[in-house]
Amino acid sequence: MDDCVRVLLELLATPSPSGFTDRALASVEAELEVLGVKPRRTRKGALLWTLPGEGGAPRAVSSHIDTLGAMVKEIKASGRLKLSPIGGYDWATIEGAECEVHTESGTSISGTVVNTKQSTHVHGQELRDLKRDAGVMEVRLDIEAGSPDAVRAAGVEVGDVVSFDSRPRATESGFVKGRHLDNKAAVALALAVTRAFLAARRAPEGDVHFFVSNYEEVGHGAATGIPADVAELLCVDMAAVGEGQTSTEYDVTLCVKDSGGPYDYGMNRRLRGLAREHGIPLKIDVYPFYASDATAAWRAGGNHRAALIGPGVDASHSFERTHRRALEHTAALLEAYLLAPVGA
Ligand SMILES: [Zn+2]
Protein backbone atom coordinates (compact mmCIF):
# COMPACT_ATOMS: atom_id res chain seq x y z
CA MET A 1 0.00 0.00 0.00
CA ASP A 2 3.00 2.33 0.50
CA ASP A 3 3.69 2.19 -3.24
CA CYS A 4 0.02 2.88 -3.96
CA VAL A 5 0.02 5.99 -1.74
CA ARG A 6 3.35 7.17 -3.21
CA VAL A 7 1.98 6.86 -6.77
CA LEU A 8 -1.28 8.50 -5.70
CA LEU A 9 0.53 11.53 -4.23
CA GLU A 10 2.60 11.88 -7.42
CA LEU A 11 -0.49 11.67 -9.62
CA LEU A 12 -2.31 14.22 -7.46
CA ALA A 13 0.62 16.61 -7.86
CA THR A 14 0.40 16.38 -11.66
CA PRO A 15 -2.34 18.60 -13.16
CA SER A 16 -4.81 16.76 -15.41
CA PRO A 17 -8.18 18.43 -16.01
CA SER A 18 -10.25 16.63 -18.69
CA GLY A 19 -8.62 17.32 -22.07
CA PHE A 20 -5.20 18.00 -20.52
CA THR A 21 -4.15 14.60 -19.23
CA ASP A 22 -0.98 13.82 -21.22
CA ARG A 23 1.54 14.54 -18.47
CA ALA A 24 -0.32 12.52 -15.85
CA LEU A 25 -0.76 9.62 -18.28
CA ALA A 26 2.96 9.78 -19.08
CA SER A 27 3.71 9.28 -15.38
CA VAL A 28 1.42 6.20 -15.36
CA GLU A 29 3.32 4.93 -18.42
CA ALA A 30 6.60 5.46 -16.57
CA GLU A 31 5.33 3.39 -13.63
CA LEU A 32 4.26 0.62 -16.02
CA GLU A 33 7.63 0.67 -17.74
CA VAL A 34 9.30 -0.09 -14.40
CA LEU A 35 6.97 -3.09 -14.10
CA GLY A 36 7.82 -4.24 -17.64
CA VAL A 37 4.27 -3.64 -18.86
CA LYS A 38 3.73 -2.10 -22.30
CA PRO A 39 0.66 0.15 -22.35
CA ARG A 40 -1.01 1.62 -25.43
CA ARG A 41 -2.99 4.79 -26.03
CA THR A 42 -6.33 4.78 -27.80
CA ARG A 43 -6.80 7.33 -30.58
CA LYS A 44 -8.89 9.34 -28.11
CA GLY A 45 -5.90 9.40 -25.77
CA ALA A 46 -6.99 6.96 -23.06
CA LEU A 47 -4.48 4.46 -21.71
CA LEU A 48 -4.83 0.67 -21.84
CA TRP A 49 -2.67 -2.17 -20.62
CA THR A 50 -3.33 -5.88 -20.39
CA LEU A 51 -2.52 -8.41 -17.73
CA PRO A 52 -2.66 -11.81 -19.48
CA GLY A 53 -4.99 -14.31 -17.82
CA GLU A 54 -5.39 -18.04 -17.67
CA GLY A 55 -7.95 -18.45 -20.42
CA GLY A 56 -11.14 -17.25 -18.69
CA ALA A 57 -13.39 -14.60 -20.22
CA PRO A 58 -11.62 -11.25 -20.72
CA ARG A 59 -12.74 -8.29 -18.66
CA ALA A 60 -11.94 -4.61 -18.26
CA VAL A 61 -11.21 -2.53 -15.18
CA SER A 62 -11.64 1.20 -15.66
CA SER A 63 -10.44 4.22 -13.72
CA HIS A 64 -10.07 7.85 -14.78
CA ILE A 65 -7.12 10.20 -14.60
CA ASP A 66 -8.93 13.36 -15.70
CA THR A 67 -10.12 15.76 -13.03
CA LEU A 68 -12.20 18.84 -12.55
CA GLY A 69 -10.64 22.08 -13.74
CA ALA A 70 -11.51 25.10 -15.85
CA MET A 71 -10.70 27.09 -18.96
CA VAL A 72 -10.04 30.78 -19.29
CA LYS A 73 -13.37 32.12 -20.54
CA GLU A 74 -12.52 35.78 -20.65
CA ILE A 75 -9.71 38.18 -19.74
CA LYS A 76 -11.39 40.97 -17.81
CA ALA A 77 -10.49 44.66 -18.12
CA SER A 78 -8.89 44.33 -14.66
CA GLY A 79 -6.54 41.59 -15.88
CA ARG A 80 -8.39 38.98 -13.80
CA LEU A 81 -9.65 35.83 -15.55
CA LYS A 82 -13.21 34.60 -15.82
CA LEU A 83 -13.55 30.82 -15.80
CA SER A 84 -15.58 28.24 -17.69
CA PRO A 85 -15.77 25.08 -15.58
CA ILE A 86 -14.57 21.65 -16.71
CA GLY A 87 -16.68 19.02 -14.96
CA GLY A 88 -19.40 19.46 -12.35
CA TYR A 89 -18.62 21.35 -9.15
CA ASP A 90 -19.96 24.12 -7.01
CA TRP A 91 -18.21 27.49 -7.40
CA ALA A 92 -17.85 27.79 -3.62
CA THR A 93 -15.55 24.74 -3.59
CA ILE A 94 -12.82 26.50 -5.59
CA GLU A 95 -12.73 29.73 -3.63
CA GLY A 96 -9.19 30.13 -2.34
CA ALA A 97 -7.82 27.37 -4.58
CA GLU A 98 -4.26 27.79 -5.76
CA CYS A 99 -4.20 27.23 -9.51
CA GLU A 100 -2.05 27.14 -12.62
CA VAL A 101 -2.92 28.60 -15.99
CA HIS A 102 -1.34 26.47 -18.71
CA THR A 103 -0.44 28.58 -21.72
CA GLU A 104 -0.21 27.42 -25.30
CA SER A 105 3.58 27.77 -25.31
CA GLY A 106 3.81 25.17 -22.53
CA THR A 107 4.57 27.49 -19.63
CA SER A 108 2.29 27.88 -16.65
CA ILE A 109 1.48 30.86 -14.48
CA SER A 110 0.27 30.46 -10.92
CA GLY A 111 -2.69 32.23 -9.42
CA THR A 112 -5.47 32.02 -6.86
CA VAL A 113 -9.22 31.71 -7.33
CA VAL A 114 -10.88 34.61 -5.52
CA ASN A 115 -14.23 36.36 -5.79
CA THR A 116 -14.82 39.95 -6.84
CA LYS A 117 -15.60 41.02 -3.26
CA GLN A 118 -13.02 38.91 -1.49
CA SER A 119 -11.69 41.51 0.97
CA THR A 120 -13.89 41.73 4.03
CA HIS A 121 -12.29 45.11 4.88
CA VAL A 122 -13.53 46.52 1.61
CA HIS A 123 -16.86 44.76 1.16
CA GLY A 124 -18.01 43.74 4.64
CA GLN A 125 -21.54 42.32 4.61
CA GLU A 126 -21.60 42.19 0.80
CA LEU A 127 -18.95 39.46 0.91
CA ARG A 128 -20.99 37.43 3.41
CA ASP A 129 -24.10 37.72 1.24
CA LEU A 130 -22.35 37.00 -2.06
CA LYS A 131 -23.61 34.04 -4.08
CA ARG A 132 -20.60 32.32 -5.61
CA ASP A 133 -21.11 31.84 -9.33
CA ALA A 134 -19.39 32.26 -12.70
CA GLY A 135 -19.97 36.02 -12.62
CA VAL A 136 -18.08 36.66 -9.38
CA MET A 137 -15.32 34.04 -9.30
CA GLU A 138 -12.05 34.96 -10.97
CA VAL A 139 -8.38 34.05 -11.15
CA ARG A 140 -5.87 36.50 -9.73
CA LEU A 141 -2.64 35.75 -11.60
CA ASP A 142 0.70 36.04 -9.80
CA ILE A 143 2.05 38.55 -12.30
CA GLU A 144 1.91 42.34 -12.36
CA ALA A 145 -0.73 42.59 -15.03
CA GLY A 146 -3.65 44.99 -14.61
CA SER A 147 -4.96 44.89 -18.17
CA PRO A 148 -5.89 42.35 -20.86
CA ASP A 149 -2.88 43.45 -22.94
CA ALA A 150 -0.48 42.77 -20.08
CA VAL A 151 -2.07 39.37 -19.40
CA ARG A 152 -1.83 38.48 -23.10
CA ALA A 153 1.79 39.64 -23.17
CA ALA A 154 2.47 37.04 -20.47
CA GLY A 155 1.11 34.39 -22.86
CA VAL A 156 -2.33 33.86 -21.35
CA GLU A 157 -5.26 33.52 -23.76
CA VAL A 158 -8.91 32.58 -23.76
CA GLY A 159 -9.10 28.77 -23.85
CA ASP A 160 -6.04 28.15 -21.71
CA VAL A 161 -6.49 25.26 -19.30
CA VAL A 162 -6.69 26.08 -15.59
CA SER A 163 -5.84 23.37 -13.06
CA PHE A 164 -6.64 23.63 -9.35
CA ASP A 165 -3.76 22.51 -7.13
CA SER A 166 -4.52 19.26 -5.34
CA ARG A 167 -2.30 20.07 -2.34
CA PRO A 168 -1.88 16.33 -1.72
CA ARG A 169 -0.93 15.13 1.72
CA ALA A 170 -0.75 11.78 3.52
CA THR A 171 -1.15 12.04 7.30
CA GLU A 172 0.42 9.87 10.00
CA SER A 173 -3.11 8.81 10.89
CA GLY A 174 -3.57 7.11 7.52
CA PHE A 175 -5.59 9.73 5.66
CA VAL A 176 -4.82 10.88 2.14
CA LYS A 177 -6.11 14.38 1.47
CA GLY A 178 -6.28 16.62 -1.56
CA ARG A 179 -8.41 17.55 -4.53
CA HIS A 180 -8.84 14.92 -7.25
CA LEU A 181 -8.67 11.74 -5.18
CA ASP A 182 -11.59 11.24 -7.57
CA ASN A 183 -10.29 9.34 -9.38
CA LYS A 184 -6.54 9.23 -9.13
CA ALA A 185 -7.03 6.89 -6.16
CA ALA A 186 -8.43 4.30 -8.60
CA VAL A 187 -5.61 4.82 -11.12
CA ALA A 188 -3.09 4.24 -8.30
CA LEU A 189 -5.08 1.12 -7.32
CA ALA A 190 -5.02 -0.22 -10.90
CA LEU A 191 -1.23 0.14 -10.86
CA ALA A 192 -0.99 -1.42 -7.37
CA VAL A 193 -3.05 -4.46 -8.38
CA THR A 194 -1.02 -4.86 -11.58
CA ARG A 195 2.16 -4.66 -9.48
CA ALA A 196 0.80 -7.21 -6.97
CA PHE A 197 -0.08 -9.78 -9.66
CA LEU A 198 3.32 -9.44 -11.32
CA ALA A 199 5.23 -9.59 -8.01
CA ALA A 200 3.36 -12.74 -6.96
CA ARG A 201 3.79 -14.22 -10.47
CA ARG A 202 0.08 -14.86 -10.49
CA ALA A 203 -2.23 -14.56 -13.47
CA PRO A 204 -5.82 -13.39 -13.29
CA GLU A 205 -8.57 -15.80 -14.31
CA GLY A 206 -9.01 -14.14 -17.72
CA ASP A 207 -7.18 -11.37 -19.57
CA VAL A 208 -7.65 -8.05 -17.77
CA HIS A 209 -7.62 -4.84 -19.76
CA PHE A 210 -6.92 -1.89 -17.48
CA PHE A 211 -8.47 1.21 -19.04
CA VAL A 212 -7.53 4.69 -17.81
CA SER A 213 -10.09 7.14 -19.08
CA ASN A 214 -9.22 10.75 -19.94
CA TYR A 215 -12.68 12.36 -20.30
CA GLU A 216 -14.78 10.86 -17.48
CA GLU A 217 -15.56 14.10 -15.65
CA VAL A 218 -17.26 15.45 -18.76
CA GLY A 219 -19.35 12.32 -19.26
CA HIS A 220 -17.98 10.46 -22.28
CA GLY A 221 -14.67 8.94 -21.11
CA ALA A 222 -15.32 5.23 -21.63
CA ALA A 223 -17.81 5.79 -24.47
CA THR A 224 -15.08 4.32 -26.61
CA GLY A 225 -11.93 2.32 -25.97
CA ILE A 226 -13.18 -0.59 -23.87
CA PRO A 227 -12.07 -3.69 -25.84
CA ALA A 228 -15.09 -5.17 -27.62
CA ASP A 229 -14.49 -8.74 -26.44
CA VAL A 230 -14.82 -8.14 -22.69
CA ALA A 231 -17.56 -9.98 -20.80
CA GLU A 232 -17.54 -7.49 -17.95
CA LEU A 233 -16.45 -3.98 -17.09
CA LEU A 234 -15.65 -3.24 -13.47
CA CYS A 235 -15.48 0.50 -13.01
CA VAL A 236 -13.41 1.65 -10.03
CA ASP A 237 -14.35 5.14 -8.93
CA MET A 238 -14.82 7.01 -5.66
CA ALA A 239 -17.68 6.15 -3.32
CA ALA A 240 -19.86 9.07 -2.28
CA VAL A 241 -19.63 9.70 1.48
CA GLY A 242 -22.06 11.98 3.31
CA GLU A 243 -25.31 12.24 5.20
CA GLY A 244 -27.62 9.33 4.38
CA GLN A 245 -24.89 7.31 2.66
CA THR A 246 -23.56 3.95 3.90
CA SER A 247 -20.12 4.65 2.35
CA THR A 248 -17.26 5.75 4.60
CA GLU A 249 -13.69 6.94 4.12
CA TYR A 250 -12.46 3.61 5.53
CA ASP A 251 -14.36 1.18 3.30
CA VAL A 252 -14.84 -0.04 -0.22
CA THR A 253 -18.37 0.42 -1.56
CA LEU A 254 -20.34 -1.44 -4.17
CA CYS A 255 -22.59 1.11 -5.87
CA VAL A 256 -25.71 -0.73 -6.99
CA LYS A 257 -27.43 2.32 -8.49
CA ASP A 258 -26.57 5.89 -9.40
CA SER A 259 -28.03 8.56 -11.72
CA GLY A 260 -27.50 6.19 -14.65
CA GLY A 261 -29.71 3.50 -13.07
CA PRO A 262 -28.87 0.07 -11.64
CA TYR A 263 -25.69 -1.85 -12.43
CA ASP A 264 -25.58 -5.58 -13.31
CA TYR A 265 -27.42 -7.61 -10.67
CA GLY A 266 -25.46 -10.84 -11.14
CA MET A 267 -22.10 -9.08 -11.05
CA ASN A 268 -23.15 -7.21 -7.91
CA ARG A 269 -24.12 -10.48 -6.20
CA ARG A 270 -20.81 -12.04 -7.18
CA LEU A 271 -18.86 -9.06 -5.77
CA ARG A 272 -20.85 -9.23 -2.51
CA GLY A 273 -20.13 -12.97 -2.27
CA LEU A 274 -16.42 -12.42 -2.89
CA ALA A 275 -16.28 -9.74 -0.19
CA ARG A 276 -17.92 -12.12 2.33
CA GLU A 277 -15.63 -14.99 1.31
CA HIS A 278 -12.48 -12.88 1.71
CA GLY A 279 -13.56 -11.03 4.85
CA ILE A 280 -13.59 -7.64 3.12
CA PRO A 281 -16.03 -5.23 4.79
CA LEU A 282 -18.12 -4.04 1.85
CA LYS A 283 -20.65 -1.21 1.91
CA ILE A 284 -23.60 -1.27 -0.47
CA ASP A 285 -24.77 2.15 -1.53
CA VAL A 286 -26.87 4.23 -3.92
CA TYR A 287 -25.37 7.51 -5.15
CA PRO A 288 -27.98 10.24 -5.70
CA PHE A 289 -26.03 12.56 -8.05
CA TYR A 290 -23.40 10.48 -9.77
CA ALA A 291 -22.47 9.11 -13.18
CA SER A 292 -19.69 6.67 -13.98
CA ASP A 293 -17.66 5.53 -16.95
CA ALA A 294 -19.53 2.19 -16.78
CA THR A 295 -22.70 4.06 -17.72
CA ALA A 296 -20.83 6.01 -20.42
CA ALA A 297 -19.67 2.69 -21.90
CA TRP A 298 -23.20 1.24 -21.73
CA ARG A 299 -24.81 4.32 -23.24
CA ALA A 300 -22.35 4.14 -26.13
CA GLY A 301 -23.42 0.56 -26.84
CA GLY A 302 -21.05 -1.48 -24.67
CA ASN A 303 -22.25 -5.11 -24.81
CA HIS A 304 -20.97 -6.38 -21.46
CA ARG A 305 -22.00 -6.52 -17.83
CA ALA A 306 -20.90 -3.58 -15.67
CA ALA A 307 -20.48 -2.82 -11.98
CA LEU A 308 -18.99 -0.03 -9.89
CA ILE A 309 -16.81 -0.25 -6.78
CA GLY A 310 -14.52 2.26 -5.11
CA PRO A 311 -12.97 3.70 -1.98
CA GLY A 312 -15.04 6.16 0.06
CA VAL A 313 -14.10 9.81 -0.52
CA ASP A 314 -15.40 12.51 1.82
CA ALA A 315 -16.38 15.96 0.48
CA SER A 316 -16.13 14.76 -3.12
CA HIS A 317 -15.46 17.32 -5.87
CA SER A 318 -14.27 19.59 -3.10
CA PHE A 319 -11.75 19.14 -0.25
CA GLU A 320 -11.45 15.39 -0.64
CA ARG A 321 -10.16 12.85 1.87
CA THR A 322 -9.95 9.08 2.07
CA HIS A 323 -8.12 6.60 4.30
CA ARG A 324 -5.53 3.94 3.46
CA ARG A 325 -7.94 1.28 4.73
CA ALA A 326 -10.41 2.15 1.97
CA LEU A 327 -7.62 1.77 -0.59
CA GLU A 328 -6.57 -1.57 0.91
CA HIS A 329 -10.11 -2.95 0.91
CA THR A 330 -10.69 -1.81 -2.67
CA ALA A 331 -7.45 -3.46 -3.82
CA ALA A 332 -8.40 -6.67 -1.99
CA LEU A 333 -11.85 -6.81 -3.62
CA LEU A 334 -10.40 -6.01 -7.03
CA GLU A 335 -7.84 -8.83 -6.71
CA ALA A 336 -10.47 -11.31 -5.52
CA TYR A 337 -12.68 -10.33 -8.47
CA LEU A 338 -9.88 -10.80 -10.99
CA LEU A 339 -9.04 -14.27 -9.66
CA ALA A 340 -12.64 -15.55 -9.76
CA PRO A 341 -14.45 -16.62 -12.93
CA VAL A 342 -16.97 -14.23 -14.44
CA GLY A 343 -20.62 -15.27 -14.37
CA ALA A 344 -22.47 -17.20 -17.04
ZN1 LIG B 1 -14.79 9.97 -10.65
Side-chain angles (χ1 to χ4, degrees):
M1 204 33 63
D2 286 349
D3 262 336
C4 181
V5 172
R6 170 189 61 81
V7 169
L8 175 53
L9 293 173
E10 278 172 26
L11 289 177
L12 290 172
T14 310
S16 59
S18 309
F20 192 74
T21 52
D22 271 358
R23 243 177 75 202
L25 284 176
S27 78
V28 176
E29 286 169 331
E31 287 291 328
L32 288 166
E33 199 180 323
V34 173
L35 299 176
V37 175
K38 276 228 170 314
R40 55 203 185 275
R41 297 261 187 126
T42 67
R43 287 197 292 276
K44 186 174 166 180
L47 194 70
L48 262 171
W49 70 91
T50 301
L51 207 52
E54 295 196 314
R59 57 191 100 180
V61 172
S62 76
S63 56
H64 70 87
I65 194 115
D66 64 307
T67 71
L68 305 175
M71 264 190 187
V72 177
K73 163 68 180 68
E74 194 180 315
I75 303 172
K76 296 175 157 185
S78 59
R80 303 277 175 108
L81 310 176
K82 256 193 173 180
L83 295 173
S84 174
I86 294 175
Y89 56 87
D90 190 278
W91 288 102
T93 63
I94 59 165
E95 185 163 300
E98 296 291 313
C99 64
E100 297 278 332
V101 178
H102 303 272
T103 72
E104 198 218 333
S105 66
T107 60
S108 68
I109 298 173
S110 66
T112 308
V113 181
V114 293
N115 69 53
T116 50
K117 299 187 187 294
Q118 195 75 74
S119 170
T120 191
H121 302 99
V122 178
H123 299 285
Q125 189 64 34
E126 270 191 280
L127 170 61
R128 284 185 275 284
D129 294 342
L130 188 70
K131 173 159 170 43
R132 275 60 168 173
D133 60 25
V136 303
M137 303 304 286
E138 59 186 21
V139 171
R140 178 187 68 194
L141 288 170
D142 298 328
I143 52 173
E144 292 188 38
S147 72
D149 284 348
V151 170
R152 288 199 161 93
V156 174
E157 252 312 335
V158 170
D160 284 351
V161 172
V162 181
S163 60
F164 306 127
D165 290 5
S166 162
R167 309 202 135 196
R169 190 170 153 213
T171 70
E172 294 268 308
S173 48
F175 290 105
V176 184
K177 309 201 293 182
R179 290 177 194 271
H180 315 139
L181 284 171
D182 171 16
N183 188 19
K184 288 176 172 174
V187 179
L189 283 165
L191 283 166
V193 167
T194 300
R195 192 184 298 110
F197 271 98
L198 294 172
R201 296 179 186 279
R202 269 185 109 174
E205 200 265 344
D207 287 356
V208 182
H209 304 293
F210 287 93
F211 178 81
V212 180
S213 174
N214 56 340
Y215 283 101
E216 192 275 348
E217 291 293 358
V218 289
H220 57 74
T224 189
I226 301 294
D229 64 338
V230 302
E232 299 190 338
L233 166 62
L234 181 60
C235 182
V236 184
D237 206 337
M238 53 141 276
V241 173
E243 199 183 324
Q245 299 297 106
T246 63
S247 302
T248 85
E249 294 169 271
Y250 311 100
D251 291 302
V252 53
T253 297
L254 173 73
C255 172
V256 289
K257 179 181 179 292
D258 62 17
S259 308
Y263 290 99
D264 183 79
Y265 195 79
M267 213 173 151
N268 286 345
R269 285 190 68 177
R270 191 150 21 91
L271 287 159
R272 293 165 83 146
L274 285 167
R276 268 193 299 275
E277 194 184 312
H278 293 267
I280 303 162
L282 177 67
K283 301 289 181 182
I284 312 297
D285 217 344
V286 171
Y287 305 155
F289 306 103
Y290 193 106
S292 83
D293 250 346
T295 302
W298 264 353
R299 289 219 165 103
N303 184 19
H304 46 69
R305 288 180 286 266
L308 170 63
I309 64 168
V313 169
D314 189 55
S316 53
H317 281 197
S318 184
F319 312 103
E320 298 177 348
R321 190 178 78 164
T322 190
H323 195 277
R324 292 171 77 106
R325 289 216 299 281
L327 302 176
E328 281 161 14
H329 294 323
T330 308
L333 184 58
L334 188 50
E335 284 180 36
Y337 165 73
L338 296 179
L339 288 167
V342 302

